[in-house]
Amino acid sequence: MKGQVLCEKRTASDGSCVAVLTMDNKPVNALSAGVRVGLEKQLQELTADSSVKAAVLSGGPGVFCGGADISEFATGVEGPSLTDIIAAIENSEKPVVAAIDGVSLGGGYEVALGCHWRLASSRAQAGLPEVNLGILPGAGGTQRLPRLIGAEKSVDFICRGTPMKAQKAVQLGLYDQLVDGDYSSLLQAAVEFAAKAAGQDLTLRRLGRGKAKAAELSQKRQEYAKSRKGELAPQAIISCVEAAVAQDFQDAMKVEFSEFCKLMVGPQAQALQYMFFAQRQCQKVPGLDKAAAPGTCGIVGAGLMGSGIAMCCAENGIKVVLLDIDQKNLDRGMTAIKKNYARSVERKSKSQAQVDGLLASITPSTSYDSLGHCDIVVEAVFENMDLKRKIFAELDRVCKPGCVLASNTSGLNIDSIAEATKRPQDVVGCHFFSPANVMPLLENVRGPRTAPQVMAKAMAFGAKLKKVTCLVGNCPGFIANRVMNVSGWTHLIQGGLLPHQIDAAAEAFGMRMGPTRMMDLVGLDLFGRERERKGEQDDQNEYERFQKLLAEEVGPGNPHGWEIKSDWAKDYSKQQFKMRVSLRSHESGNPNKLLRGDGKYKGVVPEDFLGFLLKPELPGMKEWKDVETLPDGFIKYCRVKAPCMTPRDHCWKYTIDRRADGSIFVCIRTTTHPECPEKPGIIRAYYYNSCVFKMSETEEGVMEMTEFIFQDLKGGLPVSLMNAALPKGTLEANKAEMKTLLAKKSSDAQTQAPNTLPA
Ligand SMILES: C[C@H](O)CC(=O)SCCNC(=O)CCNC(=O)[C@H](O)C(C)(C)COP(=O)(O)OP(=O)(O)OC[C@H]1O[C@@H](n2cnc3c(N)ncnc32)[C@H](O)[C@@H]1OP(=O)(O)O
C-alpha cells in the first residue's frame, strides 16, 4: 500500500501537547490508500489520546499534497474513502490546523478545507485542478468552498483549475493566514496556533454545514460553455455549486457524488487522465542521462517565433542574446516583447519590477560574435533550408565547443541543416509552437547524428522552459504537424467545402482553432515547398498535390507568407477562393461526393469529419484491411491506410465498440512512421490515438457524432486526445503490422486511389 502518515508529538509554549501528522508519500504526497489508512488511524488515535489537545496536519517541507492518487482511478480505489476522512477531520472535537508548504491541490486542498484552520507559507499554492482531468473535486470541494468564499468565486476557481499562489489565496480566503519563513517556522506557528485553539467551539469553523450564500450562476454556465467549449466537467461543477446554494450540505454532497461518478466513467475524464501520465512519460527518454539545463540561450531571428522563445527563456531564468542581423527587425522584435510585457503589467499578471528584470535578461544584438558564450542557440528564422544552412555555418564558426545548435523548424530535415556544420553531433531541432511563450508543446528532434548528451541538454532545456517536451525523430512534419495533416481537412475542401465551414464545425467540437486556420498559420506551403525543392515531391500523392494547390492560391512564393496567409485566414470565405478551389476539384474529376454522396453541402456538420474517415467507398479509403465486425454489423476493428499521406507513412486503426447505452466509441490510432516517433510515450500521447469520439445512432439510422474530444480543448495544439484504454503491447503489435505493410509497399502503391487534382 503506497504512502503513510507519520505522527510526532510536540509541546507548545503553553505546555499543551499537539500531534503533528505528516503525510508521507513521495514525490507529491498523493492521497494513495496508505495515506488514507494512515489518516484514518491517526485521527482515531487523536480522539482516543486525552494527552493530545490538538493536531497539525502537514505534508513536510516543499509539498503539502498533490491530491488523490490519479493512478488509482484506473485500477480502482480501495480502502477508506477520502470523503469520510475529511468528514472525520472536520468533526474532530480537537482542532486540526493545516500547515501548508508547497502545493495543496485537488483532494489535498479538500483535506485542508476539512481542517479547522489553514496556515500557509509563502511557497504554498491552493488549487482544485480536477477540471483538467475531466472530473470535479469529489471529496466535498464543490461544497465546502462555496460555503467558504461564495458560489461565484468558487465556480471561477474550480472551473479554471489554475493553482493560486499563497498571497492571493489568503486574499481570496482560501487560506486563513500566511506565515513568513521556512517550513520549520510554519510548523512552529501551526503548533502554537493549534494549542491556542484547543477547547474552542469549532462549530463555525466546520464548512460542512448549512448552505452557501445565494448566487445567480446562469451567466457562469454560458461563460464556461464558451471558454471551455465541449468540456463536460465545468457544467457539472456549476451544477454542484448550484446545489451548494440550494441544498443542505448532506443533500448537496449527494449531487457532487453523482456528478463526479458520471464524469469519472466518461471518455473525457479517461482521456485527460491518460494524458496526464502520458505527458510526463514522454519527457523521460531511455538511454539519456540527466543533463544541466542551459543558462544562456542565443536566439537567431527576432521575428514572431524568436521573440516568443526569448520571452519564454527569460521567464524561466535563462539569459538571452536575441540576434538579428537586420537592426530594424531586431527593434521590431524588442518592441513586440516590450508591448507584450506592458500588457501583462496592465492586466496585473506581472509587476513593472518583474518586467524590468525580464527585459534586462534579454540582450539584443546584431553580431554573431555575441553568441560565443551561449550554452544553446536556437535559430528561429523562417522555413528556408538555404538560409538555415547559412546560419548554421555561421554558428559553427562562433559558438563555443559543446554549445547545442538548435533549429526551430516545423518540418525541415535536421540532418540537412547539420550538414552545414563541422559538428553535426551538436545539432538538434527544437520545434516551438506559436506563440512560443504560451503554447505548452516542444518537439525536440533527434537527427541521425545528434549525440546523446546533446539530446539530453535539449530535453533539459525544454524542462526548464516548463514545456511538455517530446523527443521526436527526423521526418517531414515531425509528429504534431503530421497528425494535423492526416486530419483529412484537405479532403473536405476538395469536396467543395470552404475552409471557414470546416473550421466552424471543428471548433464546435471544442478545437480552439480549426484545422484549416491552424495549417494556414503553420504555413500551407511549408512541407511541399521543401520537398519540391529537393525533387522529392510525390506527384501521385493527392495530399501533397493539394497542399501545393492551396499554397499557390493563398501565398505563392511569398517568403513572409504569414501576412498574406493571415489575410486569407480572415477573409477565406471569399467567393473567388471558393470558385477556384471547387473548379479545380471538378476539373480534376473529383466526384465531389465525399461526404454525403449527393454532391450538395448544406454546411458542415460534425459527423462529416467522421463520414470521410469511416466510409470505405471514399477515395483513398479503398484499402480497408482486416475488417472485423461485431455481430450487429458495426466495425469492431479495421486497418486502413491514411487517405491523405503517402502509403509508406501511415496506417490507421479504428477500434469501435458499442456501449451498453447504444453509443459507439471509436478510437483512431495511427501506426508509427518508421523514422518518426522515438518512444511509446510520445506516440501514445501525441500520435498514436489521434482522437476519441462518441457516436450515436439517430432514429433514421444515421450515425451522429455526439462527443469529440481534441487535446486542444485547452492549448490549441494540433493534436488530439487519446483513449485511455490502450492495451499493453499494442505498439509492438502495430510495429509488426507496419513491417508487413512496408514489405507490401510497392503492390499497395499500385492500388492507390487515382489522382484527383490537376497537375
Ligand atoms: C477526489 C479529488 O477531488 C480528486 C483529485 O484530487 S484528482 C487530483 C488533483 N490533483 C492534480 O490534478 C494535481 C496533479 N499534479 C500536478 O499538478 C503536479 O504533478 C504537481 C504540481 C503536484 C507537481 O508537479 P512537478 O513537481 O512538476 O512534478 P510532476 O512531474 O508533475 O509529478 C511528479 C510525479 O508525481 C506524480 N503525480 C503528481 N500528482 C499526482 C497525483 N495526484 N496522483 C498520482 N501521481 C501524481 C507524477 O505522475 C510524477 O510521477 P513520475 O515521476 O512517475 O512521472
Side-chain angles (χ1 to χ4, degrees):
M1 221 188 270
K2 271 200 296 181
Q4 57 178 344
V5 176
L6 308 170
C7 178
E8 180 206 350
K9 286 181 187 164
R10 289 215 182 180
T11 309
S13 54
D14 66 0
S16 49
C17 177
V18 175
V20 175
L21 311 181
T22 308
M23 294 176 280
D24 176 27
N25 189 16
K26 291 195 172 47
V28 301
N29 294 331
L31 294 155
S32 316
V35 176
R36 298 197 308 278
V37 167
L39 280 171
E40 189 181 51
K41 180 171 157 274
Q42 297 297 352
L43 286 165
Q44 282 163 1
E45 283 177 17
L46 175 70
T47 311
D49 189 344
S50 58
S51 70
V52 180
K53 300 294 173 218
V56 167
L57 179 60
S58 98
V63 57
F64 180 74
C65 175
D69 184 340
I70 304 166
S71 65
E72 283 184 354
F73 294 167
T75 56
V77 180
E78 282 174 7
S81 95
L82 188 56
T83 309
D84 291 347
I85 288 165
I86 294 173
I89 296 174
E90 187 169 76
N91 294 328
S92 162
E93 289 304 324
K94 297 176 186 175
V96 182
V97 176
I100 302 163
D101 189 34
V103 293
S104 56
L105 299 178
Y109 182 65
E110 290 175 295
V111 167
L113 282 173
C115 295
H116 304 109
W117 282 273
R118 290 158 286 281
L119 266 54
S121 75
S122 58
R123 291 194 297 181
Q125 284 185 37
L128 290 171
E130 284 88 342
V131 69
N132 300 323
L133 299 169
I135 53 173
L136 51 79
T142 67
Q143 298 310 310
R144 290 192 175 85
L145 192 66
R147 287 165 170 85
L148 178 68
I149 64 168
E152 288 192 4
K153 285 180 189 163
S154 297
V155 165
D156 287 338
F157 185 70
I158 307 175
C159 286
R160 286 182 193 149
T162 318
M164 192 174 272
K165 289 197 175 144
Q167 209 151 14
K168 273 195 171 170
V170 171
Q171 283 164 11
L172 187 61
L174 302 173
Y175 295 146
D176 295 300
Q177 200 173 302
L178 204 63
V179 178
D180 286 337
D182 58 8
Y183 172 69
S184 61
S185 318
L186 172 71
L187 201 57
Q188 187 55 37
V191 167
E192 293 299 329
F193 194 104
K196 281 206 187 90
Q200 281 185 27
D201 179 3
L202 298 174
T203 314
L204 293 179
R205 301 303 307 173
R206 293 187 179 113
L207 297 169
R209 62 190 168 82
K211 294 177 187 170
K213 271 199 196 130
E216 170 51 48
L217 299 176
S218 56
Q219 191 89 25
K220 294 278 171 206
R221 275 202 186 276
Q222 286 169 18
E223 196 182 316
Y224 286 98
K226 215 166 147 197
S227 65
R228 302 202 70 138
K229 209 185 313 181
E231 292 181 70
L232 301 173
Q235 298 300 320
I237 287 164
I238 296 172
S239 300
C240 294
V241 177
E242 281 170 348
V245 169
Q247 300 180 29
D248 282 331
F249 184 75
Q250 293 307 337
D251 289 333
M253 279 296 280
K254 286 183 195 148
V255 175
E256 182 189 90
F257 181 69
S258 152
E259 293 293 336
F260 180 81
C261 293
K262 273 191 258 169
L263 290 174
M264 192 56 124
V265 296
Q268 293 196 358
Q270 287 175 19
L272 286 163
Q273 285 156 31
Y274 179 88
M275 198 165 84
F276 175 84
F277 290 112
Q279 284 190 340
R280 279 155 182 81
Q281 195 196 347
C282 78
Q283 313 201 47
K284 294 174 192 150
V285 184
L288 289 190
D289 292 334
K290 280 229 167 253
T296 311
C297 175
I299 296 164
V300 182
L304 184 75
M305 287 311 286
S307 50
I309 299 168
M311 285 193 283
C312 188
C313 288
E315 285 161 28
N316 289 289
I318 299 179
K319 288 201 159 46
V320 176
V321 179
L322 181 60
L323 175 107
D324 203 307
I325 49 168
D326 183 330
Q327 183 70 50
K328 266 196 204 142
N329 282 348
L330 187 61
D331 293 343
R332 207 178 302 143
M334 286 305 293
T335 308
I337 293 174
K338 283 175 192 161
K339 267 193 189 159
N340 216 307
Y341 282 148
R343 273 200 299 274
S344 304
V345 175
E346 259 170 49
R347 285 198 308 262
K348 298 201 167 74
S349 60
K350 289 189 177 66
S351 69
Q352 188 57 51
Q354 276 173 318
V355 163
D356 293 344
L358 292 173
L359 288 172
S361 65
I362 304 175
T363 310
S365 168
T366 53
S367 160
Y368 273 94
D369 292 328
S370 58
L371 300 177
H373 66 294
C374 293
D375 304 317
I376 183 169
V377 175
V378 182
E379 159 279 305
V381 301
F382 58 87
E383 300 281 18
N384 176 307
M385 180 58 91
D386 293 336
L387 178 64
K388 288 194 189 255
R389 284 171 61 94
K390 261 189 214 148
I391 290 171
F392 271 75
E394 198 61 10
L395 294 180
D396 196 10
R397 185 181 69 76
V398 298
C399 291
K400 67 181 182 189
C403 173
V404 177
L405 308 181
S407 174
N408 172 53
T409 173
S410 53
L412 298 185
N413 187 341
I414 291 301
D415 203 29
S416 311
I417 297 174
E419 270 169 17
T421 72
K422 290 188 216 64
R423 38 174 143 167
Q425 73 282 0
D426 290 343
V427 178
V428 294
C430 284
H431 178 205
F432 287 84
F433 292 77
S434 182
N437 54 324
V438 176
M439 297 296 282
L441 181 62
L442 173 68
E443 286 183 327
N444 274 344
V445 190
R446 169 149 52 186
R449 288 178 279 178
T450 311
Q453 68 273 22
V454 174
M455 209 60 242
K457 279 190 211 167
M459 293 306 284
F461 178 53
K464 175 105 182 170
L465 297 180
K466 300 200 185 86
K467 300 282 184 201
V468 175
T469 310
C470 297
L471 174 55
V472 304
N474 184 35
C475 73
F478 310 131
I479 295 180
N481 284 332
R482 293 169 83 79
V483 170
M484 188 64 189
N485 290 349
V486 295
S487 72
W489 60 275
T490 52
H491 280 276
L492 299 179
I493 291 187
Q494 287 178 75
L497 297 169
L498 291 174
H500 73 281
Q501 294 173 312
I502 297 168
D503 285 349
E507 284 163 21
F509 281 142
M511 262 183 110
R512 275 287 158 93
M513 193 184 267
T516 78
R517 223 153 32 105
M518 172 75 75
M519 209 53 210
D520 181 32
L521 201 73
V522 172
L524 286 161
D525 50 346
L526 178 63
F527 305 110
R529 191 174 56 201
E530 183 55 26
R531 285 168 63 74
E532 192 178 16
R533 195 186 72 82
K534 290 178 73 185
E536 283 177 358
Q537 203 156 43
D538 180 359
D539 283 344
Q540 299 303 304
N541 183 281
E542 187 176 296
Y543 171 72
E544 286 198 4
R545 290 158 65 88
F546 194 69
Q547 283 282 69
K548 203 171 146 188
L549 164 69
L550 279 182
E552 277 170 22
E553 295 298 334
V554 298
N558 174 27
H560 300 286
W562 163 259
E563 284 134 48
I564 286 190
K565 285 187 225 132
S566 66
D567 280 352
W568 176 66
K570 271 187 234 136
D571 190 26
Y572 57 22
S573 63
K574 61 187 175 193
Q575 284 304 308
Q576 201 188 17
F577 178 83
K578 179 182 179 178
M579 263 169 48
R580 281 199 199 158
V581 174
S582 320
L583 251 181
R584 292 231 192 173
S585 299
H586 280 301
E587 279 166 9
S588 69
N590 186 325
N592 201 17
K593 285 181 184 172
L594 272 174
L595 304 174
R596 296 272 167 91
D598 59 4
K600 284 184 192 146
Y601 292 95
K602 298 171 188 114
V604 194
V605 291
E607 79 253 27
D608 288 344
F609 284 96
L610 265 192
F612 82 89
L613 285 171
L614 295 180
K615 286 183 180 167
E617 71 275 14
L618 296 174
M621 278 283 159
K622 290 183 177 162
E623 299 187 25
W624 290 66
K625 289 185 190 349
D626 306 340
V627 178
E628 194 190 304
T629 49
L630 295 167
D632 55 10
F634 283 98
I635 300 157
K636 165 91 175 129
Y637 165 84
C638 76
R639 190 150 53 79
V640 64
K641 284 191 204 163
C644 48
M645 294 297 278
T646 50
R648 68 177 177 274
D649 286 342
H650 295 268
C651 88
W652 287 63
K653 265 186 166 186
Y654 299 83
T655 320
I656 305 184
D657 286 308
R658 184 186 266 275
R659 295 275 168 108
D661 66 357
S663 63
I664 312 275
F665 275 86
V666 184
C667 171
I668 301 185
R669 300 167 186 163
T670 66
T671 54
T672 64
H673 183 286
E675 304 157 30
C676 194
E678 291 229 357
K679 60 184 291 265
I682 302 169
I683 300 162
R684 296 217 304 265
Y686 292 104
Y687 195 53
Y688 210 77
N689 293 330
S690 302
C691 41
V692 179
F693 41 85
K694 178 177 172 180
M695 293 174 72
S696 310
E697 217 172 338
T698 64
E699 276 174 13
E700 304 85 57
V702 177
M703 298 286 278
E704 232 177 40
M705 191 190 296
T706 50
E707 261 174 46
F708 194 100
I709 318 158
F710 283 96
Q711 182 178 352
D712 30 10
L713 282 171
K714 270 201 75 202
L717 296 178
V719 287
S720 310
L721 273 183
M722 64 301 300
N723 193 335
L726 184 65
K728 264 197 173 157
T730 313
L731 173 67
E732 288 68 27
N734 281 348
K735 273 189 178 158
E737 285 167 12
M738 190 69 189
K739 238 177 163 179
T740 322
L741 244 193
L742 285 169
K744 290 201 293 173
K745 189 175 101 179
S746 51
S747 62
D748 283 352
Q750 285 161 18
T751 54
Q752 274 291 291
N755 278 322
T756 51
L757 285 171

